[in-house]
Amino acid sequence: MIKNKIFALLSVMAIIIPFAKPVKSEAINFTLKDTIHSDSAILINLDSDTVIHEKNADDKQMPGPLVNIMTAIVCIEQCTDLNQEIIIDESIYTDLYVTEYPDDIRTAEIYNEDILTYTDLLYAMMLTSSIEASQTIAYNIGGRSVSSFVDKMNEKASELGLKSTHFTNPTGMYDENQYTSARDMTILTEYALSIPNFEKICSTYSYNPSVPNLERHEDRSEWIWYHSNSMMDSESDYYYPGARGVKTGNLEKGGRNIIALASKDGNNYLAVAMRSPLSDANGNTQFYHLEDARDLFNWAFNHFSYQIILAETAELGEIPVSLADGNDYVLARPKEEISLLWYDDIDVSLINRDNIIWYKKSLQAPVKKGELLGEVTLEYSGEALATVELIAVSNVERSTAKYNLYAAKMFPKSNWFKKAIIISCVLCGIYILICIYSFILFKNNSKPIKPKYAVPNIKDKNKRK
């Protein structure tokens, strides 16, 4: 029974209360007083998807059986029927027993010719890190090819943007070319929690296979798989109320790893701790990853509370307003109140509220109450916390006298004035052309007509004679 294996956890805080319009929130890495023994760790609030503590989160580490999370994802997404029964063929995984690190091997008492569904295999893998289960899943889903299945794992990693991750096997057995990071494992786990069945499987403490297989397991009631995360075991020294799943993984050369969920008072957290030492300086076996998890939980639950870091009524500046009837400025306030799950050792007055961007340097009356004026980004220790828009506190009416004077003063500079000048010039030009044309016509009509004198026809004159 792998019930007595011990592993680590945890998780933490920082959550933004939802608003009518979401407020942009960034991660902030609060300093933890207790020492984290794990080489890499990351703490995230799932409700707001906000990281509040991290340690070497991008360093490459050996994942060990944390790899099973990706194995489960590919299985769930590729398998058309998780209730399909599979006949176990031990030849698929027996070669894995020949290893330089036999202590890394995890099994679930699955025997040759046992019949299990894909769902059963997923439980065996996620609860116990069973190499029989993970290798069988990969072989069958990969079209009788484990390497084909591993290709699918790496394709999914690329799709999810896991920049520091490469898979070489579905079991998590040692391979120097198989690596990941705490940050990548956080992204992977968040995605896994969003797909059907995964959270239910990884959060179950004990599971009895659905198919009896009585020929090889005479007492079915004793064939039970327990989750390797002992923080879920109420009889363990490391039991922590509210903790569950997700996956643990130990490697002789990679230390102890854990990914776990925890919930309390409606808040949900995810913690990843990687490469925790297997023993202390004297060679005594230690489970530092569980201590890290406990410290993270206590820190989160005991020292974080919701605090208003920017009230809706806070006045954050003013903008000049011309042509105003009264005050020649308008005050700006946040469009909405900002509340965060905040560390009680840090005074909220230390949050920088001076990073303001005004949409305009000045305004002209009238200004309406609630009109958008700019935005402010709240910062602490150089890290952005949230960005919220700023609006006008009140109306600013326009002064009729000031406006008329302004209009008269600005009319010569206005487009209307320019258009009036152009139109006047055009009309004057047309008028001048008409005058010139009329003058020419008048002159032509006024010329004296040369008189024509009648000269008698000589022939007619002779006839008269």
Side-chain angles (χ1 to χ4, degrees):
M1 225 187 275
I2 308 173
K3 177 178 179 180
N4 294 325
K5 276 197 266 176
I6 324 182
F7 309 96
L9 177 258
L10 245 189
S11 181
V12 44
M13 33 239 59
I15 186 173
I16 299 176
I17 296 178
F19 301 109
K21 178 178 180 179
V23 176
K24 180 184 176 183
S25 174
E26 307 291 348
I28 178 168
N29 192 26
F30 291 105
T31 302
L32 188 66
K33 291 181 178 179
D34 297 304
T35 300
I36 296 293
H37 298 87
S38 301
D39 281 1
S40 296
I42 192 166
L43 237 55
I44 186 169
N45 177 271
L46 291 175
D47 303 298
S48 61
D49 196 26
T50 303
V51 175
I52 65 166
H53 183 77
E54 60 181 58
K55 174 186 176 183
N56 302 326
D58 296 305
D59 286 4
K60 290 182 179 179
Q61 305 289 1
M62 295 181 184
L66 298 188
V67 163
N68 294 160
I69 295 174
M70 179 60 89
T71 305
I73 290 173
V74 176
C75 176
I76 293 171
E77 293 187 337
Q78 297 280 325
C79 183
T80 56
D81 182 11
L82 292 178
N83 293 319
Q84 179 183 343
E85 294 182 347
I86 304 296
I87 299 175
I88 301 301
D89 180 359
E90 65 179 9
S91 67
I92 295 172
Y93 52 81
T94 49
D95 61 325
L96 299 179
Y97 296 135
V98 182
T99 174
E100 185 180 355
Y101 308 104
D103 289 343
D104 292 348
I105 297 174
R106 297 291 181 269
T107 65
E109 299 178 354
I110 297 175
Y111 304 138
N112 191 48
E113 296 187 354
D114 275 348
I115 298 175
L116 295 170
T117 66
Y118 278 114
T119 297
D120 293 333
L121 292 170
L122 286 169
Y123 274 101
M125 178 180 68
M126 292 303 297
L127 272 59
T128 74
S129 302
S130 162
I131 61 171
E132 311 108 316
S134 55
Q135 192 79 346
T136 298
I137 288 173
Y139 180 78
N140 285 276
I141 298 296
R144 306 180 71 80
S145 169
V146 174
S147 62
S148 176
F149 185 89
V150 173
D151 288 342
K152 295 179 185 295
M153 295 171 66
N154 284 311
E155 287 171 8
K156 194 67 181 181
S158 177
E159 178 186 322
L160 295 175
L162 307 185
K163 299 178 180 178
S164 302
T165 296
H166 181 256
F167 297 112
T168 60
N169 65 63
T171 63
M173 294 287 287
Y174 169 74
D175 187 323
E176 62 180 3
N177 294 315
Q178 182 155 256
Y179 53 82
T180 188
S181 69
R183 194 180 309 281
D184 278 2
M185 281 292 102
T186 299
I187 296 170
L188 181 66
T189 304
E190 284 192 276
Y191 176 79
L193 293 170
S194 72
I195 66 176
N197 301 311
F198 180 85
E199 184 170 1
K200 178 183 177 182
I201 293 171
C202 76
S203 297
T204 298
Y205 175 63
S206 63
Y207 182 81
N208 187 224
S210 61
V211 183
N213 292 289
L214 297 178
E215 292 183 7
R216 285 161 297 280
H217 304 274
E218 296 180 2
D219 189 348
R220 184 190 177 197
S221 64
E222 292 187 359
W223 194 26
I224 300 176
W225 302 322
Y226 293 93
H227 206 298
S228 55
N229 182 1
S230 60
M231 299 186 81
M232 300 169 65
D233 182 2
S234 59
E235 297 180 2
S236 168
D237 292 338
Y238 294 97
Y239 175 67
Y240 201 100
R244 63 191 189 281
V246 170
K247 196 77 193 76
T248 65
N250 297 348
L251 286 180
E252 185 176 331
K253 294 197 67 174
R256 304 188 194 279
N257 300 332
I258 186 169
I259 300 177
L261 298 167
S263 300
K264 185 177 180 180
D265 299 330
N267 297 316
N268 300 286
Y269 307 102
L270 172 69
V272 178
M274 303 190 71
R275 198 174 178 80
S276 169
L278 299 172
S279 57
D280 61 19
N282 297 320
N284 300 314
T285 299
Q286 295 293 335
F287 302 99
Y288 289 124
H289 61 317
L290 297 177
E291 295 180 20
D292 291 344
R294 180 194 59 212
D295 291 342
L296 288 171
F297 269 127
N298 289 334
W299 177 63
F301 292 132
N302 296 333
H303 295 285
F304 280 77
S305 61
Y306 288 108
Q307 296 188 42
I308 298 173
I309 65 170
L310 185 62
E312 190 175 7
T313 56
E315 296 178 354
L316 297 183
E318 61 183 47
I319 294 183
V321 179
S322 61
L323 310 182
D325 184 9
N327 293 331
D328 58 355
Y329 63 88
V330 63
L331 295 172
R333 68 169 179 81
K335 186 176 181 180
E336 54 227 350
E337 184 177 273
I338 299 181
S339 296
L340 297 180
L341 194 61
W342 193 252
Y343 189 25
D344 60 13
D345 274 6
I346 300 175
D347 194 328
V348 294
S349 64
L350 297 176
I351 296 173
N352 182 5
R353 306 189 301 182
D354 296 331
N355 188 11
I356 298 176
I357 298 175
W358 299 109
Y359 296 154
K360 293 181 180 180
K361 293 182 179 180
S362 62
L363 299 172
Q364 187 180 98
V367 177
K368 293 182 179 180
K369 180 179 179 180
E371 183 175 331
L372 292 178
L373 304 178
E375 62 183 41
V376 59
T377 298
L378 305 179
E379 295 179 345
Y380 172 73
S381 191
E383 296 184 78
L385 299 177
T387 298
V388 63
E389 289 181 315
L390 300 176
I391 59 175
V393 171
S394 59
N395 292 323
V396 178
E397 301 298 336
R398 184 167 63 189
S399 168
T400 303
K402 289 181 181 179
Y403 179 74
N404 290 338
L405 184 60
Y406 168 79
K409 181 180 178 181
M410 295 300 296
F411 182 71
K413 300 178 182 179
S414 68
N415 289 330
W416 283 109
F417 183 78
K418 293 177 183 178
K419 290 177 181 178
I421 294 297
I422 293 172
I423 292 172
S424 298
C425 290
V426 171
L427 291 176
C428 287
I430 293 173
Y431 176 75
I432 291 172
L433 290 174
I434 291 173
C435 289
I436 293 173
Y437 178 73
S438 299
F439 177 76
I440 293 172
L441 286 179
F442 176 77
K443 289 286 288 181
N444 289 337
N445 292 332
S446 301
K447 282 183 179 181
I449 299 174
K450 185 176 182 180
K452 293 181 180 180
Y453 298 97
V455 178
N457 193 306
I458 297 176
K459 289 182 179 182
D460 291 342
K461 186 177 180 181
N462 292 331
K463 283 182 181 180
R464 288 194 202 104
K465 290 180 179 181

